Amino acid sequence: DIVMTQSPDSLAVSLGERATINCKSSQSVLYSSNNKNYLAWYQQRPGQPPKLLIYWASTRESGVPDRFSGSGSGTDFTLTISSLQAEDVAVYYCQQYYTTPRTFGQGTKLEIK
Amino acid sequence: QVQLQESGPGLVKPSETLSLTCTVSGGSISSYFWSWIRQPAGKGLEWIGRIYTNENTNYNPSLKSRVTLSVDTSKNQFSLKLSSVTAADTAVYYCARETTSVGSPYYFDYWGQGTLVTVSS
């Protein structure tokens, strides 16, 4: 199985400030034939199902605010929220879809400082 | 807009079989991969397995011996059976669709709201 490890486990950021969440995979999720990273990011607000934010490591899902961005390649990835808003309080998960079983990071809880 | 809705008993006795159904509306179930994912309270997400509409399946090895997935394209539904449940199987169970292109599955683009299943006598 590909193990996904996120850091930090929790994060407190002031409104309007930048939040950065890291995700590391135990093996590369870059598919050489198409040069795509099989990595997605989800946001889960309390009591809600996960919501897709980012796929192919850096492609924003339709309707997702542009303050959310994804970067990285191979085994190391980052989700950045450029200017934290109150509605961004949530747990964020990375997930690899390079192979089965599909695996998720343990989650990063983002709060307001 | 595609919508997914889980249904099934919220309480299952230890050693019995957990059975859930996911109904897909707003789109066809055909030509997509459909997954079950669970989340114990306060914990992370665990992928259980998936089924394609030709009934091909993939299971998480950690649960494979106890899981059976099925699909009913005439009803736009797919189902999960998890046998010999214990308290460790208590979780919110989600159904989800993997976006699919040229027959290959990728990320989860649609999720159900989730249903809590408690294993207790």
PDB file of all heavy atoms in Angstrom, chain B residues 1 14 28 36 116 119-120:
ATOM      1  N   GLN B   1     -27.053  17.320 -11.813  1.00  0.00           N
ATOM      2  CA  GLN B   1     -26.094  17.162 -10.731  1.00  0.00           C
ATOM      3  C   GLN B   1     -26.228  15.759 -10.128  1.00  0.00           C
ATOM      4  O   GLN B   1     -27.288  15.376  -9.655  1.00  0.00           O
ATOM      5  CB  GLN B   1     -26.361  18.220  -9.643  1.00  0.00           C
ATOM      6  CG  GLN B   1     -25.499  18.093  -8.418  1.00  0.00           C
ATOM      7  CD  GLN B   1     -24.109  18.693  -8.632  1.00  0.00           C
ATOM      8  OE1 GLN B   1     -23.718  18.970  -9.769  1.00  0.00           O
ATOM      9  NE2 GLN B   1     -23.376  18.887  -7.563  1.00  0.00           N
ATOM     10  N   PRO B  14     -22.900  -7.478  16.672  1.00  0.00           N
ATOM     11  CA  PRO B  14     -21.600  -8.129  16.434  1.00  0.00           C
ATOM     12  C   PRO B  14     -21.778  -9.509  15.818  1.00  0.00           C
ATOM     13  O   PRO B  14     -22.734 -10.235  16.162  1.00  0.00           O
ATOM     14  CB  PRO B  14     -20.995  -8.217  17.838  1.00  0.00           C
ATOM     15  CG  PRO B  14     -21.647  -7.116  18.597  1.00  0.00           C
ATOM     16  CD  PRO B  14     -23.035  -7.005  18.058  1.00  0.00           C
ATOM     17  N   SER B  28     -26.295   8.532 -14.814  1.00  0.00           N
ATOM     18  CA  SER B  28     -26.273   7.080 -14.934  1.00  0.00           C
ATOM     19  C   SER B  28     -25.146   6.480 -14.111  1.00  0.00           C
ATOM     20  O   SER B  28     -24.062   7.040 -13.978  1.00  0.00           O
ATOM     21  CB  SER B  28     -26.087   6.693 -16.400  1.00  0.00           C
ATOM     22  OG  SER B  28     -25.938   5.297 -16.518  1.00  0.00           O
ATOM     23  N   TRP B  36     -16.885   2.460  -1.779  1.00  0.00           N
ATOM     24  CA  TRP B  36     -17.304   2.635  -0.394  1.00  0.00           C
ATOM     25  C   TRP B  36     -16.082   3.045   0.415  1.00  0.00           C
ATOM     26  O   TRP B  36     -15.004   2.453   0.262  1.00  0.00           O
ATOM     27  CB  TRP B  36     -17.911   1.366   0.165  1.00  0.00           C
ATOM     28  CG  TRP B  36     -19.261   1.046  -0.413  1.00  0.00           C
ATOM     29  CD1 TRP B  36     -19.532   0.201  -1.457  1.00  0.00           C
ATOM     30  CD2 TRP B  36     -20.523   1.571   0.018  1.00  0.00           C
ATOM     31  NE1 TRP B  36     -20.879   0.185  -1.712  1.00  0.00           N
ATOM     32  CE2 TRP B  36     -21.518   1.005  -0.806  1.00  0.00           C
ATOM     33  CE3 TRP B  36     -20.924   2.454   1.028  1.00  0.00           C
ATOM     34  CZ2 TRP B  36     -22.871   1.300  -0.670  1.00  0.00           C
ATOM     35  CZ3 TRP B  36     -22.265   2.744   1.170  1.00  0.00           C
ATOM     36  CH2 TRP B  36     -23.226   2.166   0.331  1.00  0.00           C
ATOM     37  N   LEU B 116     -24.209   6.622   9.443  1.00  0.00           N
ATOM     38  CA  LEU B 116     -23.533   6.060  10.611  1.00  0.00           C
ATOM     39  C   LEU B 116     -24.039   4.650  10.865  1.00  0.00           C
ATOM     40  O   LEU B 116     -25.255   4.429  10.995  1.00  0.00           O
ATOM     41  CB  LEU B 116     -23.780   6.935  11.838  1.00  0.00           C
ATOM     42  CG  LEU B 116     -23.253   6.380  13.171  1.00  0.00           C
ATOM     43  CD1 LEU B 116     -21.726   6.227  13.140  1.00  0.00           C
ATOM     44  CD2 LEU B 116     -23.680   7.269  14.334  1.00  0.00           C
ATOM     45  N   VAL B 119     -22.020  -0.834  15.505  1.00  0.00           N
ATOM     46  CA  VAL B 119     -22.036  -2.266  15.787  1.00  0.00           C
ATOM     47  C   VAL B 119     -22.112  -2.443  17.290  1.00  0.00           C
ATOM     48  O   VAL B 119     -21.188  -2.071  18.026  1.00  0.00           O
ATOM     49  CB  VAL B 119     -20.789  -2.963  15.229  1.00  0.00           C
ATOM     50  CG1 VAL B 119     -20.820  -4.463  15.575  1.00  0.00           C
ATOM     51  CG2 VAL B 119     -20.712  -2.764  13.715  1.00  0.00           C
ATOM     52  N   SER B 120     -23.232  -2.955  17.741  1.00  0.00           N
ATOM     53  CA  SER B 120     -23.451  -3.128  19.165  1.00  0.00           C
ATOM     54  C   SER B 120     -24.572  -4.126  19.400  1.00  0.00           C
ATOM     55  O   SER B 120     -25.511  -4.229  18.592  1.00  0.00           O
ATOM     56  CB  SER B 120     -23.818  -1.785  19.815  1.00  0.00           C
ATOM     57  OG  SER B 120     -24.131  -1.948  21.182  1.00  0.00           O
TER      58      SER B 120
END
